[in-house]
Amino acid sequence: MIEHARSFRGAWLTRAMSVVVVTVMAVTMALSVPYAAKAGTGAVQGEELDALLQALLFRDVTEVLSDEGRAMADDFVEAGYGVPKPAWQNMLDRLYDPEAMAHAFRSEMGKALEDADLAPMVAFFTTDLGQRIARLELDTRKAMTGEAAQAAAGEAWAALDPDTRRAELIEDYVQANDLVEMNVVGAMNSDIAYYRGLWTVAGSDAMSEGDLMREIWSTEPEVRADVSEWVYGFSTLAYDTLSDEEFARYVAFSRSEAGRQLNFALFAAFDAVYADLSRGLGAGTSMLMQMYDGEQL
């Protein structure tokens, strides 16, 4: 249930936008945008929410995303904007604080699941199968940190006979959770938020809203291709050790009301946090470039 390519993009996918600077499709903590207030969940739901997040290994997931974010300093240095690595590293360390990330995700999950029955979600992910799935997803996410690993995963999916039961299950799982479309939309929204943050500081050099939308959405085919490769590759590797019957049970859960609600909540939480994070990253990037007299925005 963690196939969010932005972060999976994760940081996952990064691509150069020709207008200004590298856009990072990843989880990054907002430098100048405050985190959302803790969701006003009741005590019972709060306990159930914590049980669900624990079953999903969310703390471990957050640590992976934090580590990836803080490791991006070299990417920014290589972009050549006149900012020394220690400055980038200091900003990224602040943005990717794991405790703040965990709080932000919990808050957004609480909001998204406020009226949901969490019992069947907890029940599934606390079974032996549910725990195996959570661990497999986490371990695969850790493994797919580089371009070579992502390419290998995509090749594994491409090499799979489309007439096999396994290929059918992967396709059913991706479609049941709308993984490609939801990730593409989230990636576009994150890019938009990034540039809005960038130009909050840059001011008069900002692109018009219309031009911004056209620029961002002109990259949609490229993003869709990258996300598709990531999602199908991830699904091929992550569930490889599950039997077809076990994988079918997971697909069935994804199609259930509880599975659909959980999937919606995960995307809502990631997208809400990413919007704040991307704005913060854009604002922080702009401030550092101005501070160190980097290239003009």
Side-chain angles (χ1 to χ4, degrees):
M1 280 300 201
I2 62 170
E3 296 83 344
H4 297 75
R6 288 183 310 288
S7 35
F8 294 157
R9 76 40 224 46
W12 319 256
L13 303 173
T14 56
R15 57 196 174 78
M17 297 293 290
S18 60
V19 180
V20 185
V21 358
V22 174
T23 295
V24 181
M25 297 191 309
V27 178
T28 51
M29 281 317 183
L31 180 64
S32 59
V33 181
Y35 293 117
K38 188 173 182 178
T41 58
V44 174
Q45 192 201 35
E47 293 176 359
E48 289 185 318
L49 178 60
D50 288 337
L52 176 61
L53 295 179
Q54 182 177 359
L56 290 171
L57 305 180
F58 227 77
R59 175 66 68 168
D60 294 321
V61 171
T62 302
E63 290 287 347
V64 171
L65 303 184
S66 174
D67 290 344
E68 289 179 344
R70 288 181 291 179
M72 291 193 298
D74 286 337
D75 295 332
F76 283 96
V77 172
E78 291 174 6
Y81 298 108
V83 179
K85 181 176 178 179
W88 289 120
Q89 192 65 64
N90 181 60
M91 181 186 74
L92 292 172
D93 287 345
R94 293 171 60 193
L95 298 178
Y96 281 85
D97 178 74
E99 291 300 320
M101 292 177 70
H103 173 78
F105 281 120
R106 186 194 184 282
S107 174
E108 294 299 336
M109 285 290 287
K111 293 176 185 178
L113 292 170
E114 186 173 5
D115 298 320
D117 180 6
L118 306 190
M121 305 175 196
V122 175
F124 179 84
F125 279 100
T126 52
T127 62
D128 289 343
L129 175 60
Q131 283 295 281
R132 282 178 59 205
I133 288 171
R135 178 57 61 182
L136 287 170
E137 290 178 343
L138 177 65
D139 290 345
T140 304
R141 183 65 199 85
K142 289 179 180 179
M144 290 180 62
T145 55
E147 292 183 4
Q150 292 173 19
E155 291 170 2
W157 162 250
L160 193 62
D161 185 341
D163 295 327
T164 61
R165 175 60 172 156
R166 179 49 53 116
E168 178 184 341
L169 285 167
I170 291 172
E171 186 65 44
D172 288 347
Y173 179 71
V174 171
Q175 295 301 322
N177 291 288
D178 204 12
L179 294 180
V180 173
E181 194 64 34
M182 295 290 278
N183 271 299
V184 168
V185 171
M188 299 292 96
N189 289 336
S190 291
D191 283 350
I192 292 168
Y194 173 83
Y195 281 106
R196 285 173 175 164
L198 189 78
W199 288 323
T200 295
V201 177
S204 61
D205 291 331
M207 182 183 292
S208 71
E209 189 73 7
D211 288 343
L212 171 61
M213 293 298 179
R214 283 189 289 274
E215 178 66 30
I216 295 298
W217 283 98
S218 71
T219 68
E220 191 271 348
E222 175 190 351
V223 174
R224 183 174 295 275
D226 288 343
V227 167
S228 295
E229 181 180 33
W230 199 99
V231 165
Y232 282 99
F234 179 95
S235 300
T236 302
L237 295 187
Y239 313 119
D240 181 60
T241 60
L242 297 181
S243 68
D244 286 350
E245 187 274 333
E246 290 171 330
F247 198 2
R249 286 167 59 191
Y250 192 26
V251 173
F253 171 77
S254 299
R255 288 174 170 161
S256 69
E257 181 178 2
R260 292 194 301 270
Q261 288 178 323
L262 178 56
N263 187 58
F264 170 82
L266 286 167
F267 272 105
F270 271 76
D271 289 349
V273 173
Y274 288 162
D276 282 350
L277 307 179
S278 295
R279 280 192 295 270
L281 182 62
T285 297
S286 183
M287 285 189 288
L288 285 179
M289 291 173 68
Q290 292 184 16
M291 183 183 304
Y292 287 93
D293 294 323
E295 293 184 6
Q296 295 299 310
L297 298 181

